[in-house]
Amino acid sequence: MKGAYLTAVGHERQLTRLSAAITEIDDESELAIVPYAAKIAGLVLSTRDDRGLVEFLHAYERYPDCADQVKLELGLLALGKALAATDADDAMSALLEARDHFSGAAEVRDSRYEAKSFALAIDLLTGFIKSRDLSSFQDTLAKLTEAAFAYDAYITQADPGPLLGHVAAQTSAFTTLSIRLAHLADSLTKRTWLHAAAVINDQLLFAYNASSMVFGPGDGGGVELLIRPRIEKSLVDNHLFMAAIREWLAAYAGGIDDDLVRDIRAFAERSADPTDAEAASPLASAILDRAADKVGFTELEDVLLFRMDRVRERTTRYIIEAIQTIETAFSELPDFQHAEYKAGFMDLAHGVLCFAEDRLNSSYEQNRQAGYLFQHMKANPIEKDLQQDFHSWSRSRGMAIDDEVKGKGGGRADLRYVYKSCEIVIEVKQETDDASFDALLAGYGSQTSQYQVTNARLGMLLVLDKTRPGEEPEHLEFIYSPMILTRGPSDYGILVVKIAALRPKPSEASR
C-alpha cells in the first residue's frame, strides 16, 4: 500500500482515492485488509503492468473472506487483456478467463451484482461469437437485467466511497445493455445478430473503462487503452465481423461470380486488420455497387454498412465522465430515484451523448447523413435536419425512439423515448443568437418540461447550434449540461446537448 501511495504522488485524484481506501480499512480479522489492497492493486494494474501485484491477487484468490474482491479484480484484468488482444484466439481465451473470475466472485458473495453482470454479458457475447445459438438468450438477458438493476439499487442505497466514482457509469452501461437487447430480442435474425453482439461489446467495454478510469489522472492523459482507441482495434469485434461475412458467403457465394467473391473476401480480411480498417471502409461502396443486383445484396449491405459505421465509433473517458456528471446533478430528484425512470433516462442520455460524439467525428465524405452540419454543404440547416438525423441514428442502434408524437403535454413532441413506464420527450431546437446553457434553458426549458407533466420529470433538449458559423466545434466536454428547472413545486432535470452546425472542414483551419 505504501508502494501504491508513492506511485500516486503527483496525482491529486489518485492520492485522494488511495487515502480514502486506506482509511476505510478495519482490522476485525487478519484478512480484512486484503479486499482493500486488492482494490488498490486492481486500480494500479489498470494503468501499468506489475507482475508482483498480479501474483498478490492470485495468492488470495481462494480465501473466502476476500475472494469476491480479488476475483473481481482478476476478472477486470483478464477483460482488459481481451479488449487489447492482437490475436482472436488470445482475445477469446482472455474473455473466457474473465468470465470465470466474475462468475466466481458472484458465487462467493451474492451481492456482487457488478461481477454477475460482467459474467452474463460475456456469456451473451461469446455465445454470439462461438455459436449464435439463441435458445437461452431470453433467460440470460432476464438475469442480466435483474443483476443490473440490483447493482444500481444495492450501491445507491449504501454510501458510496471515493473509490466508487465509476459506479454510475458502470450501472448505466449494464442497464443500457439490458434495455437495448430487450428491444432486439424479438427480432434476432441472421441480419440482426451482429448488431446485438455489437451492443454487448460496446457496453461491456464501457463498463470496463468505467472501472479502469477511476484511478486515471484527472488531466485527461493516461494509458491509451483507458482513453480508448477505436473499438475496431478490439479483435473481439473484428471476430464478429468476420463471422458475419463467412455466414453471408456460405449462404450466397454460389449465386455470384468468383471475382466478386474473391474481392469480398479480400475486403473482409483487410478490414479485419486494425491498421487497415479505416482505409478499407471506403472500398465497401465499390463492393456494394458491384453486388447491387446479386442475390443476398440486402444482407451484404447490412453487414458492410454496419462495418463502415463502426469505424467511427469510440468510447472515451469523456462519455464516462459525462454519465457521472449527470448522475451527480440529478441524484436528489425524486423521479431520478425511481429505478425505471432513472434507467430509461440514462439509456437515452448515453445514446444522445454518443450521437453527439459521433457527429463531432463525422465528415461528409465518410457519412453523407451528417452533411447538414457543414457550412460548405448546407448554408442554413434547420432543426428538422437534426431531428431526422438523430431519429435514424438511434433507431439503427436499438433505441426505442418515435417521432412526431401527438398528444404529449398538450402538444406534439419532436421525438419520444420509451422504456416500460418511462416516456421522455426529446425536444429539438435550433439557436442562432445565444447558445449558452443558461440561455437555452431559459428559452426552451419550459416547453421541454411541459411534455413531461404526466411522466418522469426528466427531459432532453437537443439543440442545433448555429451561433458559431465557420468556427471549429467545441470539445465534447463542453457541449452538454445537466440542468435543474423549477416549475411551481416541482424540479425537472433537463439534459441540454448542443450539436455544432455551420462547421468548417478541418483543412480550412490550416489556411
Side-chain angles (χ1 to χ4, degrees), residues 119-173:
L120 291 167
I122 292 173
D123 279 342
L124 289 170
L125 182 59
T126 54
F128 277 114
I129 294 174
K130 294 170 69 175
S131 66
R132 296 188 298 285
D133 177 8
L134 305 180
S135 58
S136 61
F137 181 86
Q138 291 281 15
D139 289 342
T140 305
L141 178 57
K143 293 176 183 176
L144 174 62
T145 302
E146 181 181 0
F149 276 83
Y151 180 37
D152 188 38
Y154 179 78
I155 294 298
T156 53
Q157 284 175 4
D159 182 20
L163 279 172
L164 294 178
H166 67 284
V167 167
Q170 202 171 71
T171 53
S172 175

Side-chain angles (χ1 to χ4, degrees), residues 232-249:
E232 296 300 324
K233 291 183 179 178
S234 164
L235 263 288
V236 174
D237 205 39
N238 292 332
H239 198 91
L240 287 168
F241 174 67
M242 291 300 291
I245 287 292
R246 283 195 298 270
E247 186 176 87
W248 185 89
L249 287 170

Side-chain angles (χ1 to χ4, degrees), residues 12-270:
E12 183 178 348
R13 182 180 177 188
Q14 295 181 12
L15 283 172
T16 300
R17 286 175 167 161
L18 269 178
S19 300
I22 292 172
T23 56
E24 285 178 1
I25 297 170
D26 59 55
D27 56 358
E28 293 177 359
S29 72
E30 293 180 358
L31 292 177
I33 196 173
V34 177
Y36 298 95
K39 187 182 297 184
I40 290 172
L43 295 174
V44 174
L45 285 167
S46 73
T47 59
R48 74 179 200 191
D49 185 31
D50 189 314
R51 300 312 304 166
L53 290 177
V54 176
E55 291 174 11
F56 156 72
L57 290 172
H58 282 297
Y60 285 93
E61 191 177 357
R62 289 181 170 80
Y63 286 83
D65 289 349
C66 56
D68 61 310
Q69 185 68 49
V70 171
K71 287 180 180 293
L72 176 67
E73 300 300 342
L74 287 170
L76 289 168
L77 192 62
L79 181 56
K81 289 179 182 177
L83 295 170
T86 56
D87 177 85
D89 291 337
D90 290 344
M92 178 60 74
S93 176
L95 206 55
L96 294 175
E97 179 188 347
R99 190 265 177 207
D100 289 343
H101 286 307
F102 289 134
S103 181
E107 289 175 4
V108 173
R109 189 182 297 274
D110 289 341
S111 58
R112 276 292 180 191
Y113 298 113
E114 79 275 55
K116 189 177 297 184
S117 297
F118 272 121
L120 291 167
I122 292 173
D123 279 342
L124 289 170
L125 182 59
T126 54
F128 277 114
I129 294 174
K130 294 170 69 175
S131 66
R132 296 188 298 285
D133 177 8
L134 305 180
S135 58
S136 61
F137 181 86
Q138 291 281 15
D139 289 342
T140 305
L141 178 57
K143 293 176 183 176
L144 174 62
T145 302
E146 181 181 0
F149 276 83
Y151 180 37
D152 188 38
Y154 179 78
I155 294 298
T156 53
Q157 284 175 4
D159 182 20
L163 279 172
L164 294 178
H166 67 284
V167 167
Q170 202 171 71
T171 53
S172 175
F174 287 124
T175 52
T176 292
L177 173 56
S178 63
I179 290 171
R180 296 188 187 176
L181 287 181
H183 290 307
L184 290 170
D186 295 331
S187 60
L188 283 174
T189 64
K190 287 186 177 181
R191 290 184 57 200
T192 59
W193 72 262
L194 181 62
H195 294 270
V199 169
I200 300 168
N201 188 50
D202 290 354
Q203 298 308 110
L204 192 62
L205 176 64
F206 186 29
Y208 166 76
N209 277 1
S211 290
S212 299
M213 272 181 48
V214 72
F215 197 50
D219 59 3
V223 181
E224 183 185 10
L225 177 64
L226 305 186
I227 313 172
R228 195 54 214 165
R230 283 188 181 85
I231 291 175
E232 296 300 324
K233 291 183 179 178
S234 164
L235 263 288
V236 174
D237 205 39
N238 292 332
H239 198 91
L240 287 168
F241 174 67
M242 291 300 291
I245 287 292
R246 283 195 298 270
E247 186 176 87
W248 185 89
L249 287 170
Y252 300 109
I256 61 178
D257 59 89
D258 293 341
D259 288 344
L260 182 56
V261 171
R262 183 173 60 251
D263 289 346
I264 292 173
R265 291 186 192 278
F267 168 82
E269 290 170 2
R270 183 178 179 186

Side-chain angles (χ1 to χ4, degrees), residues 423-486:
E423 291 188 15
I424 298 172
V425 167
I426 303 100
E427 179 64 10
V428 184
K429 293 294 184 182
Q430 60 178 327
E431 180 58 41
T432 57
D433 297 323
D434 185 355
S436 65
F437 291 114
D438 287 339
L440 293 174
L441 187 69
Y444 308 117
S446 292
Q447 183 178 353
T448 304
S449 63
Q450 185 174 334
Y451 288 120
Q452 298 299 136
V453 293
T454 60
N455 210 274
R457 281 164 287 197
L458 301 164
M460 188 74 60
L461 177 58
L462 189 60
V463 179
L464 187 67
D465 181 5
K466 302 197 294 185
T467 63
R468 305 169 69 248
E471 296 183 34
E472 67 275 8
E474 296 176 284
H475 187 275
L476 177 66
E477 188 176 13
F478 305 113
I479 66 170
Y480 70 89
S481 180
M483 308 188 77
I484 304 293
L485 178 69
T486 300

